[in-house]
């Protein structure tokens, strides 16, 4: 239940791993063993090209994937960690998270009318005039005012909504 900042660096001669800006380990390798065709996030393999096992899947959240060239040094890793830990971009720039758009009501059927015998008699209270119709259904007492009774067996009772609300 904690966020961690993980950095993996790779050069022609070594690969290093940092956790929360602290170097965990480096291993020397020949350039031929460091060739990477792809990067798979969220799953561990026991060997290159090996299969994936359900019990080796990552279970958590990933945020802010960055790839740099050339290899970062320890001071750069620390700077990026400190910036991101303070809610900034990796380079210290201000981050503004996008806000989701305010939902727009497209349809507001309350089913409170007392008679649904004519077309478009179930009123849309949103102001968009997307009124609906009932087939073999009448208003009954609901949690708030009236409700639609769609308890008949089969498909004989239903409500029809203006298709433009779905577009």
């Amino acid at each position: 239940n904690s966020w961690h900042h993980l950095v993996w660096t790779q050069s022609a001669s070594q690969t290093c791993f940092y956790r929360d800006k602290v170097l965990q380990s480096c291993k020397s390798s020949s350039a031929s063993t460091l060739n990477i065709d792809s990067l798979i996030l969220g799953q561990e393999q026991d060997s290159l090209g090996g299969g994936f096992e359900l019990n080796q899947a990552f279970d958590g959240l990933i945020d802010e994937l960055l790839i740099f060239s050339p290899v970062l040094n320890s001071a750069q890793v620390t700077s990026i960690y400190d910036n991101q830990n303070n809610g900034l971009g990796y380079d210290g720039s201000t981050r503004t998270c996008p806000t989701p758009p305010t939902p727009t009501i497209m349809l507001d059927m309350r089913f409170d009318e007392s008679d649904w015998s004519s077309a478009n008699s179930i009123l849309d209270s949103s102001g968009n005039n997307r009124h609906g119709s009932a087939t073999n259904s009448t208003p009954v007492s609901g949690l708030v005012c009236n409700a639609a009774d769609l308890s008949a067996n089969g498909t004989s009772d239903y409500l029809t909504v203006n298709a433009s609300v779905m577009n």
Side-chain angles (χ1 to χ4, degrees):
N1 293 325
S2 297
W3 285 100
H4 292 283
H5 187 260
L6 306 176
V7 176
W8 168 53
T9 64
Q10 171 189 305
S11 69
S13 61
Q14 73 175 357
T15 182
C16 297
F17 182 73
Y18 296 80
R19 180 176 181 229
D20 298 331
K21 74 180 175 183
V22 176
L23 179 63
Q24 301 297 304
S25 68
C26 288
K27 293 192 177 197
S28 298
S29 298
S30 66
S32 63
T33 63
L34 295 175
N35 291 335
I36 296 176
D37 293 326
S38 63
L39 174 63
I40 298 173
L41 301 173
Q43 182 65 55
E44 184 254 333
Q45 287 180 310
D46 292 327
S47 62
L48 184 61
F52 298 118
E53 294 182 32
L54 184 61
N55 66 344
Q56 293 179 326
F58 173 76
D59 184 14
L61 304 173
I62 298 176
D63 192 12
E64 307 296 321
L65 173 65
L66 305 169
I67 298 176
F68 292 92
S69 179
V71 173
L72 300 173
N73 60 42
S74 184
Q76 292 167 315
V77 170
T78 296
S79 176
I80 292 169
Y81 172 85
D82 290 343
N83 287 334
Q84 290 186 322
N85 202 42
N86 287 313
L88 302 172
Y90 76 92
D91 58 358
S93 61
T94 301
R95 288 290 306 267
T96 304
C97 297
T99 56
T102 302
T104 301
I105 184 87
M106 302 301 293
L107 181 70
D108 182 2
M109 288 187 161
R110 300 177 185 178
F111 306 107
D112 290 341
E113 300 76 28
S114 59
D115 179 19
W116 297 345
S117 59
S118 62
N120 295 319
S121 59
I122 303 175
L123 301 181
D124 172 15
S125 298
S126 71
N128 294 321
N129 295 319
R130 294 181 172 126
H131 308 302
S133 301
T135 300
N136 298 322
S137 180
T138 57
V140 296
S141 181
L143 181 63
V144 178
C145 300
N146 288 338
D149 181 359
L150 301 174
S151 61
N153 288 334
T155 59
S156 62
D157 58 339
Y158 57 91
L159 304 174
T160 304
V161 176
N162 186 305
S164 65
V165 76
M166 301 306 290
N167 294 328

